[in-house]
Amino acid sequence: MLFYPMQNIIALLLSITLLSTSCQSEKKDKEEIKIGTKNQERSSFDVGKNIFNGKGKCYTCHKIDKKSIGPGIMEIVKIYKAQNADLVAFLKQEAEPIVDPENYAVMKTNFAILKTFTPEELKALEVYMTQVRK
């Protein structure tokens, strides 16, 4: 008879241990997801920056805060935000130019490069452009 209550105590202790381990694991998983999201956002910014300054050669015509051959990035983002327009759609040639449209012929020559970008690269470029001013 002594073993019966002892088995209940052991079973209870085992249940408590498993339950507490499970809760801690659940918290850890949630924290890792949050950290992963921050890293992913930062990664998109970095990918966009690399595209802007590398493969896309956007820097040759666009400066961050001033007009060069093309409008500055801050001006582009300001206008697209004010008009609730889709920058990626423009880069895909699915939308008309709204910033400096008279200079569109110069930009149009660069669409051959943009056609080689994946949707993820275009989105990363947009992330970079919208966050670079911060």
Side-chain angles (χ1 to χ4, degrees), residues 79-123:
I79 292 171
Y80 269 83
K81 186 174 182 177
Q83 295 190 20
N84 198 26
D86 186 348
L87 180 59
V88 173
F90 169 70
L91 295 174
K92 289 179 173 181
Q93 296 184 43
E94 296 172 355
E96 294 296 317
I98 60 173
V99 180
D100 205 6
E102 61 278 354
N103 217 8
Y104 178 64
V106 175
M107 175 66 181
K108 198 169 185 172
T109 61
N110 295 312
F111 281 111
I113 295 171
L114 292 170
K115 284 182 180 181
T116 67
F117 292 3
T118 66
E120 293 80 17
E121 288 174 321
L122 290 172
K123 187 65 183 166

Side-chain angles (χ1 to χ4, degrees), residues 17-34:
T17 303
L18 289 174
L19 183 61
S20 69
T21 304
S22 173
C23 290
Q24 288 174 356
S25 176
E26 212 172 289
K27 286 180 185 176
K28 185 177 180 182
D29 288 343
K30 287 180 183 175
E31 289 173 21
E32 288 173 1
I33 290 170
K34 288 179 185 175

Side-chain angles (χ1 to χ4, degrees), residues 36-51:
T37 302
K38 288 179 184 175
N39 287 341
Q40 186 177 14
E41 287 174 9
R42 184 65 191 161
S43 176
S44 293
F45 179 87
D46 291 338
V47 168
K49 182 178 180 180
N50 289 337
I51 291 169

